[in-house]
Amino acid sequence: MGYRIIPLNTGTIFVDQGVYCTMGRGNGTIVGIPSTAWCVTDGTEHVLVDTGMCDTERANRWHHQAVQPEGGRIDLQLMSRAGIRPEDVGAVIFTHLHWDHCSNMKLFSNARYYVQARELAFALDPTLPPYYKSYEAPVLGIEPPFAGCDFVAVDGEYSYNDAITLFPTPGHSVGHQSVAVRTAAGTIVIAGDAVFVEENLKGDPEHLLEFLPIGRYVNYFDMWNSFKEIRKRADIVLPGHDCRVFQRKSYP
Ligand SMILES: [Zn+2]
């Protein structure tokens, strides 16, 4: 049996559409976007990509107006949507280490944790103060989800196995990566926050733009190149914060 990818919804974050998702389009419109994680499974081997957001109280205290409903925590989502127990997860691959992508990671105690080395270095010491909250830096008086965790810190493209490849897609964060999974439906790329919503890849033809930028990035050039890299590799792209991915229970 080949791999399939099951979307997991760990909660809803309320953001300004034009500031976060689609730069300049939808400014002033508050939208609820999902904090998405993914289960990649062939029935024997179970891999998570990201672990989603924290509980409602912590999210509202440190980040955004947000809600994690009952049953939204990543381990409960994994059980209810995929029928997989946390202790049976062999690996967690992190697209990046922002709070809404790695909360509760320690629930997966038998997993190896994969991240790009550059992302890990920045997360452990976010040198730009506006990013302290994104990475839940200890300087704020809180403990980040990854405190004390051992990672497999990869540098550049990395083959996890024959079917799963990690590749750098910086721009949203310094060491962001995406995950390409070979499936019966072709290559599916889990884009993380390199692509927030499908509109990013539809672009803005009226203004001759091949892509519509995401609103949150550390490097505009990198973001643009990452769009290209994802488009080149993917038959299907799964964006990080688009509620339409939940229209299907699994891909394929
Ligand atoms: Zn992010």
PDB file of all heavy atoms in Angstrom, residues 209-239:
ATOM      1  N   LEU A 209       1.450  38.869 -12.021  1.00  0.00           N
ATOM      2  CA  LEU A 209       2.190  38.187 -10.961  1.00  0.00           C
ATOM      3  C   LEU A 209       1.888  36.691 -10.999  1.00  0.00           C
ATOM      4  O   LEU A 209       0.729  36.277 -10.916  1.00  0.00           O
ATOM      5  CB  LEU A 209       1.819  38.747  -9.585  1.00  0.00           C
ATOM      6  CG  LEU A 209       2.273  40.181  -9.303  1.00  0.00           C
ATOM      7  CD1 LEU A 209       1.707  40.667  -7.984  1.00  0.00           C
ATOM      8  CD2 LEU A 209       3.797  40.240  -9.282  1.00  0.00           C
ATOM      9  N   GLU A 210       2.956  35.924 -11.127  1.00  0.00           N
ATOM     10  CA  GLU A 210       2.825  34.478 -11.173  1.00  0.00           C
ATOM     11  C   GLU A 210       2.324  33.919  -9.836  1.00  0.00           C
ATOM     12  O   GLU A 210       1.653  32.894  -9.783  1.00  0.00           O
ATOM     13  CB  GLU A 210       4.219  33.916 -11.482  1.00  0.00           C
ATOM     14  CG  GLU A 210       4.299  32.464 -11.755  1.00  0.00           C
ATOM     15  CD  GLU A 210       5.749  32.063 -12.019  1.00  0.00           C
ATOM     16  OE1 GLU A 210       6.643  32.942 -11.996  1.00  0.00           O
ATOM     17  OE2 GLU A 210       5.980  30.859 -12.239  1.00  0.00           O
ATOM     18  N   PHE A 211       2.673  34.614  -8.767  1.00  0.00           N
ATOM     19  CA  PHE A 211       2.250  34.189  -7.434  1.00  0.00           C
ATOM     20  C   PHE A 211       1.669  35.382  -6.680  1.00  0.00           C
ATOM     21  O   PHE A 211       1.999  36.532  -6.985  1.00  0.00           O
ATOM     22  CB  PHE A 211       3.446  33.637  -6.640  1.00  0.00           C
ATOM     23  CG  PHE A 211       4.174  32.530  -7.339  1.00  0.00           C
ATOM     24  CD1 PHE A 211       5.439  32.749  -7.883  1.00  0.00           C
ATOM     25  CD2 PHE A 211       3.605  31.269  -7.472  1.00  0.00           C
ATOM     26  CE1 PHE A 211       6.120  31.734  -8.547  1.00  0.00           C
ATOM     27  CE2 PHE A 211       4.274  30.254  -8.125  1.00  0.00           C
ATOM     28  CZ  PHE A 211       5.537  30.482  -8.670  1.00  0.00           C
ATOM     29  N   LEU A 212       0.822  35.075  -5.707  1.00  0.00           N
ATOM     30  CA  LEU A 212       0.316  36.101  -4.806  1.00  0.00           C
ATOM     31  C   LEU A 212       1.033  35.878  -3.471  1.00  0.00           C
ATOM     32  O   LEU A 212       0.820  34.850  -2.820  1.00  0.00           O
ATOM     33  CB  LEU A 212      -1.200  35.960  -4.650  1.00  0.00           C
ATOM     34  CG  LEU A 212      -1.902  37.003  -3.799  1.00  0.00           C
ATOM     35  CD1 LEU A 212      -1.714  38.411  -4.362  1.00  0.00           C
ATOM     36  CD2 LEU A 212      -3.396  36.684  -3.708  1.00  0.00           C
ATOM     37  N   PRO A 213       1.893  36.807  -3.075  1.00  0.00           N
ATOM     38  CA  PRO A 213       2.733  36.562  -1.891  1.00  0.00           C
ATOM     39  C   PRO A 213       1.924  36.292  -0.623  1.00  0.00           C
ATOM     40  O   PRO A 213       0.819  36.810  -0.462  1.00  0.00           O
ATOM     41  CB  PRO A 213       3.521  37.864  -1.745  1.00  0.00           C
ATOM     42  CG  PRO A 213       3.488  38.496  -3.091  1.00  0.00           C
ATOM     43  CD  PRO A 213       2.179  38.092  -3.704  1.00  0.00           C
ATOM     44  N   ILE A 214       2.519  35.493   0.237  1.00  0.00           N
ATOM     45  CA  ILE A 214       2.004  35.387   1.598  1.00  0.00           C
ATOM     46  C   ILE A 214       2.344  36.707   2.303  1.00  0.00           C
ATOM     47  O   ILE A 214       3.224  37.456   1.856  1.00  0.00           O
ATOM     48  CB  ILE A 214       2.635  34.187   2.357  1.00  0.00           C
ATOM     49  CG1 ILE A 214       4.157  34.312   2.452  1.00  0.00           C
ATOM     50  CG2 ILE A 214       2.247  32.882   1.671  1.00  0.00           C
ATOM     51  CD1 ILE A 214       4.833  33.206   3.259  1.00  0.00           C
ATOM     52  N   GLY A 215       1.643  36.999   3.393  1.00  0.00           N
ATOM     53  CA  GLY A 215       1.881  38.280   4.057  1.00  0.00           C
ATOM     54  C   GLY A 215       3.003  38.248   5.076  1.00  0.00           C
ATOM     55  O   GLY A 215       3.550  39.284   5.438  1.00  0.00           O
ATOM     56  N   ARG A 216       3.355  37.068   5.550  1.00  0.00           N
ATOM     57  CA  ARG A 216       4.345  36.951   6.620  1.00  0.00           C
ATOM     58  C   ARG A 216       5.585  36.245   6.112  1.00  0.00           C
ATOM     59  O   ARG A 216       5.530  35.068   5.750  1.00  0.00           O
ATOM     60  CB  ARG A 216       3.745  36.157   7.786  1.00  0.00           C
ATOM     61  CG  ARG A 216       2.554  36.817   8.388  1.00  0.00           C
ATOM     62  CD  ARG A 216       2.890  38.093   9.114  1.00  0.00           C
ATOM     63  NE  ARG A 216       3.289  37.828  10.489  1.00  0.00           N
ATOM     64  CZ  ARG A 216       3.740  38.763  11.319  1.00  0.00           C
ATOM     65  NH1 ARG A 216       3.888  39.997  10.913  1.00  0.00           N
ATOM     66  NH2 ARG A 216       4.056  38.450  12.545  1.00  0.00           N
ATOM     67  N   TYR A 217       6.695  36.963   6.084  1.00  0.00           N
ATOM     68  CA  TYR A 217       7.925  36.366   5.557  1.00  0.00           C
ATOM     69  C   TYR A 217       9.134  37.078   6.149  1.00  0.00           C
ATOM     70  O   TYR A 217       9.037  38.213   6.597  1.00  0.00           O
ATOM     71  CB  TYR A 217       7.964  36.472   4.026  1.00  0.00           C
ATOM     72  CG  TYR A 217       7.787  37.883   3.528  1.00  0.00           C
ATOM     73  CD1 TYR A 217       8.876  38.726   3.411  1.00  0.00           C
ATOM     74  CD2 TYR A 217       6.523  38.371   3.210  1.00  0.00           C
ATOM     75  CE1 TYR A 217       8.715  40.036   2.992  1.00  0.00           C
ATOM     76  CE2 TYR A 217       6.356  39.678   2.789  1.00  0.00           C
ATOM     77  CZ  TYR A 217       7.458  40.500   2.678  1.00  0.00           C
ATOM     78  OH  TYR A 217       7.290  41.794   2.287  1.00  0.00           O
ATOM     79  N   VAL A 218      10.252  36.367   6.174  1.00  0.00           N
ATOM     80  CA  VAL A 218      11.517  37.008   6.573  1.00  0.00           C
ATOM     81  C   VAL A 218      12.328  37.413   5.362  1.00  0.00           C
ATOM     82  O   VAL A 218      13.218  38.248   5.459  1.00  0.00           O
ATOM     83  CB  VAL A 218      12.390  36.102   7.482  1.00  0.00           C
ATOM     84  CG1 VAL A 218      11.728  35.909   8.842  1.00  0.00           C
ATOM     85  CG2 VAL A 218      12.688  34.769   6.824  1.00  0.00           C
ATOM     86  N   ASN A 219      12.052  36.801   4.202  1.00  0.00           N
ATOM     87  CA  ASN A 219      12.834  37.114   3.008  1.00  0.00           C
ATOM     88  C   ASN A 219      11.960  36.936   1.753  1.00  0.00           C
ATOM     89  O   ASN A 219      11.533  35.835   1.431  1.00  0.00           O
ATOM     90  CB  ASN A 219      14.062  36.191   2.927  1.00  0.00           C
ATOM     91  CG  ASN A 219      14.983  36.571   1.793  1.00  0.00           C
ATOM     92  OD1 ASN A 219      14.567  36.676   0.635  1.00  0.00           O
ATOM     93  ND2 ASN A 219      16.248  36.795   2.106  1.00  0.00           N
ATOM     94  N   TYR A 220      11.730  38.064   1.096  1.00  0.00           N
ATOM     95  CA  TYR A 220      10.825  38.091  -0.060  1.00  0.00           C
ATOM     96  C   TYR A 220      11.387  37.260  -1.222  1.00  0.00           C
ATOM     97  O   TYR A 220      10.664  36.511  -1.873  1.00  0.00           O
ATOM     98  CB  TYR A 220      10.645  39.546  -0.482  1.00  0.00           C
ATOM     99  CG  TYR A 220       9.349  39.881  -1.171  1.00  0.00           C
ATOM    100  CD1 TYR A 220       8.722  41.106  -0.920  1.00  0.00           C
ATOM    101  CD2 TYR A 220       8.738  39.021  -2.088  1.00  0.00           C
ATOM    102  CE1 TYR A 220       7.539  41.461  -1.543  1.00  0.00           C
ATOM    103  CE2 TYR A 220       7.562  39.364  -2.711  1.00  0.00           C
ATOM    104  CZ  TYR A 220       6.962  40.581  -2.436  1.00  0.00           C
ATOM    105  OH  TYR A 220       5.792  40.932  -3.051  1.00  0.00           O
ATOM    106  N   PHE A 221      12.693  37.369  -1.471  1.00  0.00           N
ATOM    107  CA  PHE A 221      13.303  36.622  -2.575  1.00  0.00           C
ATOM    108  C   PHE A 221      13.169  35.114  -2.344  1.00  0.00           C
ATOM    109  O   PHE A 221      12.812  34.359  -3.238  1.00  0.00           O
ATOM    110  CB  PHE A 221      14.791  36.982  -2.719  1.00  0.00           C
ATOM    111  CG  PHE A 221      15.038  38.383  -3.158  1.00  0.00           C
ATOM    112  CD1 PHE A 221      15.311  39.370  -2.223  1.00  0.00           C
ATOM    113  CD2 PHE A 221      15.007  38.728  -4.503  1.00  0.00           C
ATOM    114  CE1 PHE A 221      15.543  40.682  -2.628  1.00  0.00           C
ATOM    115  CE2 PHE A 221      15.232  40.024  -4.916  1.00  0.00           C
ATOM    116  CZ  PHE A 221      15.502  41.012  -3.967  1.00  0.00           C
ATOM    117  N   ASP A 222      13.494  34.720  -1.125  1.00  0.00           N
ATOM    118  CA  ASP A 222      13.398  33.293  -0.796  1.00  0.00           C
ATOM    119  C   ASP A 222      11.957  32.792  -0.940  1.00  0.00           C
ATOM    120  O   ASP A 222      11.714  31.693  -1.441  1.00  0.00           O
ATOM    121  CB  ASP A 222      13.881  33.034   0.634  1.00  0.00           C
ATOM    122  CG  ASP A 222      15.390  33.124   0.762  1.00  0.00           C
ATOM    123  OD1 ASP A 222      16.079  33.140  -0.271  1.00  0.00           O
ATOM    124  OD2 ASP A 222      15.879  33.184   1.911  1.00  0.00           O
ATOM    125  N   MET A 223      11.022  33.602  -0.470  1.00  0.00           N
ATOM    126  CA  MET A 223       9.608  33.210  -0.576  1.00  0.00           C
ATOM    127  C   MET A 223       9.241  32.937  -2.031  1.00  0.00           C
ATOM    128  O   MET A 223       8.608  31.928  -2.354  1.00  0.00           O
ATOM    129  CB  MET A 223       8.716  34.323  -0.018  1.00  0.00           C
ATOM    130  CG  MET A 223       7.246  34.151  -0.379  1.00  0.00           C
ATOM    131  SD  MET A 223       6.175  35.430   0.293  1.00  0.00           S
ATOM    132  CE  MET A 223       6.832  36.927  -0.387  1.00  0.00           C
ATOM    133  N   TRP A 224       9.652  33.831  -2.907  1.00  0.00           N
ATOM    134  CA  TRP A 224       9.300  33.710  -4.329  1.00  0.00           C
ATOM    135  C   TRP A 224       9.924  32.458  -4.930  1.00  0.00           C
ATOM    136  O   TRP A 224       9.270  31.691  -5.643  1.00  0.00           O
ATOM    137  CB  TRP A 224       9.755  34.969  -5.073  1.00  0.00           C
ATOM    138  CG  TRP A 224       9.017  35.180  -6.350  1.00  0.00           C
ATOM    139  CD1 TRP A 224       9.404  34.817  -7.599  1.00  0.00           C
ATOM    140  CD2 TRP A 224       7.728  35.813  -6.491  1.00  0.00           C
ATOM    141  NE1 TRP A 224       8.450  35.175  -8.515  1.00  0.00           N
ATOM    142  CE2 TRP A 224       7.408  35.791  -7.865  1.00  0.00           C
ATOM    143  CE3 TRP A 224       6.825  36.383  -5.605  1.00  0.00           C
ATOM    144  CZ2 TRP A 224       6.220  36.325  -8.367  1.00  0.00           C
ATOM    145  CZ3 TRP A 224       5.654  36.914  -6.097  1.00  0.00           C
ATOM    146  CH2 TRP A 224       5.355  36.874  -7.463  1.00  0.00           C
ATOM    147  N   ASN A 225      11.199  32.236  -4.623  1.00  0.00           N
ATOM    148  CA  ASN A 225      11.876  31.045  -5.148  1.00  0.00           C
ATOM    149  C   ASN A 225      11.271  29.763  -4.596  1.00  0.00           C
ATOM    150  O   ASN A 225      11.217  28.738  -5.290  1.00  0.00           O
ATOM    151  CB  ASN A 225      13.373  31.103  -4.827  1.00  0.00           C
ATOM    152  CG  ASN A 225      14.083  32.127  -5.693  1.00  0.00           C
ATOM    153  OD1 ASN A 225      13.685  32.370  -6.833  1.00  0.00           O
ATOM    154  ND2 ASN A 225      15.111  32.762  -5.150  1.00  0.00           N
ATOM    155  N   SER A 226      10.797  29.821  -3.375  1.00  0.00           N
ATOM    156  CA  SER A 226      10.173  28.624  -2.786  1.00  0.00           C
ATOM    157  C   SER A 226       8.852  28.301  -3.482  1.00  0.00           C
ATOM    158  O   SER A 226       8.527  27.131  -3.690  1.00  0.00           O
ATOM    159  CB  SER A 226       9.971  28.825  -1.283  1.00  0.00           C
ATOM    160  OG  SER A 226      11.231  28.868  -0.632  1.00  0.00           O
ATOM    161  N   PHE A 227       8.088  29.341  -3.846  1.00  0.00           N
ATOM    162  CA  PHE A 227       6.880  29.090  -4.654  1.00  0.00           C
ATOM    163  C   PHE A 227       7.247  28.308  -5.916  1.00  0.00           C
ATOM    164  O   PHE A 227       6.600  27.325  -6.282  1.00  0.00           O
ATOM    165  CB  PHE A 227       6.245  30.408  -5.104  1.00  0.00           C
ATOM    166  CG  PHE A 227       5.452  31.144  -4.053  1.00  0.00           C
ATOM    167  CD1 PHE A 227       5.514  32.539  -3.982  1.00  0.00           C
ATOM    168  CD2 PHE A 227       4.608  30.481  -3.178  1.00  0.00           C
ATOM    169  CE1 PHE A 227       4.765  33.244  -3.040  1.00  0.00           C
ATOM    170  CE2 PHE A 227       3.850  31.182  -2.239  1.00  0.00           C
ATOM    171  CZ  PHE A 227       3.930  32.570  -2.170  1.00  0.00           C
ATOM    172  N   LYS A 228       8.312  28.748  -6.576  1.00  0.00           N
ATOM    173  CA  LYS A 228       8.729  28.110  -7.838  1.00  0.00           C
ATOM    174  C   LYS A 228       9.149  26.665  -7.611  1.00  0.00           C
ATOM    175  O   LYS A 228       8.814  25.771  -8.390  1.00  0.00           O
ATOM    176  CB  LYS A 228       9.907  28.876  -8.455  1.00  0.00           C
ATOM    177  CG  LYS A 228       9.533  30.215  -9.045  1.00  0.00           C
ATOM    178  CD  LYS A 228      10.748  30.792  -9.748  1.00  0.00           C
ATOM    179  CE  LYS A 228      10.381  32.094 -10.435  1.00  0.00           C
ATOM    180  NZ  LYS A 228      11.559  32.740 -11.039  1.00  0.00           N
ATOM    181  N   GLU A 229       9.902  26.464  -6.561  1.00  0.00           N
ATOM    182  CA  GLU A 229      10.409  25.121  -6.260  1.00  0.00           C
ATOM    183  C   GLU A 229       9.252  24.162  -5.963  1.00  0.00           C
ATOM    184  O   GLU A 229       9.240  23.016  -6.430  1.00  0.00           O
ATOM    185  CB  GLU A 229      11.366  25.216  -5.065  1.00  0.00           C
ATOM    186  CG  GLU A 229      12.101  23.930  -4.748  1.00  0.00           C
ATOM    187  CD  GLU A 229      13.044  23.483  -5.867  1.00  0.00           C
ATOM    188  OE1 GLU A 229      13.516  24.344  -6.655  1.00  0.00           O
ATOM    189  OE2 GLU A 229      13.293  22.263  -5.967  1.00  0.00           O
ATOM    190  N   ILE A 230       8.292  24.642  -5.221  1.00  0.00           N
ATOM    191  CA  ILE A 230       7.133  23.798  -4.884  1.00  0.00           C
ATOM    192  C   ILE A 230       6.334  23.472  -6.145  1.00  0.00           C
ATOM    193  O   ILE A 230       5.961  22.325  -6.389  1.00  0.00           O
ATOM    194  CB  ILE A 230       6.253  24.502  -3.820  1.00  0.00           C
ATOM    195  CG1 ILE A 230       6.972  24.483  -2.466  1.00  0.00           C
ATOM    196  CG2 ILE A 230       4.880  23.852  -3.720  1.00  0.00           C
ATOM    197  CD1 ILE A 230       6.357  25.382  -1.421  1.00  0.00           C
ATOM    198  N   ARG A 231       6.088  24.482  -6.961  1.00  0.00           N
ATOM    199  CA  ARG A 231       5.331  24.247  -8.190  1.00  0.00           C
ATOM    200  C   ARG A 231       6.041  23.243  -9.091  1.00  0.00           C
ATOM    201  O   ARG A 231       5.418  22.390  -9.712  1.00  0.00           O
ATOM    202  CB  ARG A 231       5.122  25.573  -8.937  1.00  0.00           C
ATOM    203  CG  ARG A 231       4.529  25.372 -10.315  1.00  0.00           C
ATOM    204  CD  ARG A 231       4.097  26.664 -10.928  1.00  0.00           C
ATOM    205  NE  ARG A 231       2.871  27.148 -10.302  1.00  0.00           N
ATOM    206  CZ  ARG A 231       2.403  28.381 -10.447  1.00  0.00           C
ATOM    207  NH1 ARG A 231       3.060  29.248 -11.182  1.00  0.00           N
ATOM    208  NH2 ARG A 231       1.270  28.736  -9.877  1.00  0.00           N
ATOM    209  N   LYS A 232       7.362  23.338  -9.153  1.00  0.00           N
ATOM    210  CA  LYS A 232       8.159  22.451 -10.000  1.00  0.00           C
ATOM    211  C   LYS A 232       8.025  20.994  -9.565  1.00  0.00           C
ATOM    212  O   LYS A 232       7.944  20.086 -10.381  1.00  0.00           O
ATOM    213  CB  LYS A 232       9.629  22.894  -9.935  1.00  0.00           C
ATOM    214  CG  LYS A 232      10.538  22.249 -10.943  1.00  0.00           C
ATOM    215  CD  LYS A 232      11.919  22.884 -10.893  1.00  0.00           C
ATOM    216  CE  LYS A 232      12.744  22.226  -9.801  1.00  0.00           C
ATOM    217  NZ  LYS A 232      14.065  22.876  -9.628  1.00  0.00           N
ATOM    218  N   ARG A 233       7.984  20.778  -8.262  1.00  0.00           N
ATOM    219  CA  ARG A 233       8.012  19.402  -7.756  1.00  0.00           C
ATOM    220  C   ARG A 233       6.637  18.749  -7.629  1.00  0.00           C
ATOM    221  O   ARG A 233       6.539  17.526  -7.608  1.00  0.00           O
ATOM    222  CB  ARG A 233       8.654  19.378  -6.362  1.00  0.00           C
ATOM    223  CG  ARG A 233      10.135  19.708  -6.360  1.00  0.00           C
ATOM    224  CD  ARG A 233      10.648  19.711  -4.937  1.00  0.00           C
ATOM    225  NE  ARG A 233      12.041  20.129  -4.862  1.00  0.00           N
ATOM    226  CZ  ARG A 233      13.039  19.349  -4.443  1.00  0.00           C
ATOM    227  NH1 ARG A 233      12.805  18.105  -4.082  1.00  0.00           N
ATOM    228  NH2 ARG A 233      14.273  19.804  -4.387  1.00  0.00           N
ATOM    229  N   ALA A 234       5.604  19.560  -7.508  1.00  0.00           N
ATOM    230  CA  ALA A 234       4.319  19.021  -7.059  1.00  0.00           C
ATOM    231  C   ALA A 234       3.332  18.750  -8.184  1.00  0.00           C
ATOM    232  O   ALA A 234       3.210  19.524  -9.126  1.00  0.00           O
ATOM    233  CB  ALA A 234       3.681  19.994  -6.072  1.00  0.00           C
ATOM    234  N   ASP A 235       2.599  17.637  -8.056  1.00  0.00           N
ATOM    235  CA  ASP A 235       1.372  17.463  -8.830  1.00  0.00           C
ATOM    236  C   ASP A 235       0.197  18.063  -8.055  1.00  0.00           C
ATOM    237  O   ASP A 235      -0.738  18.580  -8.642  1.00  0.00           O
ATOM    238  CB  ASP A 235       1.124  15.972  -9.088  1.00  0.00           C
ATOM    239  CG  ASP A 235       2.231  15.367  -9.938  1.00  0.00           C
ATOM    240  OD1 ASP A 235       2.486  15.904 -11.038  1.00  0.00           O
ATOM    241  OD2 ASP A 235       2.863  14.386  -9.509  1.00  0.00           O
ATOM    242  N   ILE A 236       0.280  17.939  -6.739  1.00  0.00           N
ATOM    243  CA  ILE A 236      -0.742  18.499  -5.853  1.00  0.00           C
ATOM    244  C   ILE A 236      -0.016  19.228  -4.728  1.00  0.00           C
ATOM    245  O   ILE A 236       0.955  18.693  -4.179  1.00  0.00           O
ATOM    246  CB  ILE A 236      -1.632  17.384  -5.257  1.00  0.00           C
ATOM    247  CG1 ILE A 236      -2.380  16.633  -6.367  1.00  0.00           C
ATOM    248  CG2 ILE A 236      -2.595  17.934  -4.212  1.00  0.00           C
ATOM    249  CD1 ILE A 236      -3.051  15.342  -5.899  1.00  0.00           C
ATOM    250  N   VAL A 237      -0.489  20.431  -4.388  1.00  0.00           N
ATOM    251  CA  VAL A 237       0.106  21.185  -3.280  1.00  0.00           C
ATOM    252  C   VAL A 237      -0.914  21.301  -2.146  1.00  0.00           C
ATOM    253  O   VAL A 237      -2.074  21.655  -2.378  1.00  0.00           O
ATOM    254  CB  VAL A 237       0.528  22.606  -3.727  1.00  0.00           C
ATOM    255  CG1 VAL A 237       1.080  23.401  -2.539  1.00  0.00           C
ATOM    256  CG2 VAL A 237       1.561  22.534  -4.848  1.00  0.00           C
ATOM    257  N   LEU A 238      -0.468  21.007  -0.935  1.00  0.00           N
ATOM    258  CA  LEU A 238      -1.318  21.163   0.239  1.00  0.00           C
ATOM    259  C   LEU A 238      -0.827  22.367   1.040  1.00  0.00           C
ATOM    260  O   LEU A 238       0.242  22.311   1.663  1.00  0.00           O
ATOM    261  CB  LEU A 238      -1.264  19.887   1.096  1.00  0.00           C
ATOM    262  CG  LEU A 238      -1.793  18.630   0.398  1.00  0.00           C
ATOM    263  CD1 LEU A 238      -1.553  17.393   1.254  1.00  0.00           C
ATOM    264  CD2 LEU A 238      -3.275  18.769   0.070  1.00  0.00           C
ATOM    265  N   PRO A 239      -1.594  23.487   1.038  1.00  0.00           N
ATOM    266  CA  PRO A 239      -1.178  24.694   1.752  1.00  0.00           C
ATOM    267  C   PRO A 239      -1.345  24.535   3.266  1.00  0.00           C
ATOM    268  O   PRO A 239      -2.122  23.696   3.738  1.00  0.00           O
ATOM    269  CB  PRO A 239      -2.140  25.773   1.235  1.00  0.00           C
ATOM    270  CG  PRO A 239      -2.993  25.135   0.192  1.00  0.00           C
ATOM    271  CD  PRO A 239      -2.875  23.658   0.347  1.00  0.00           C
TER     272      PRO A 239
END
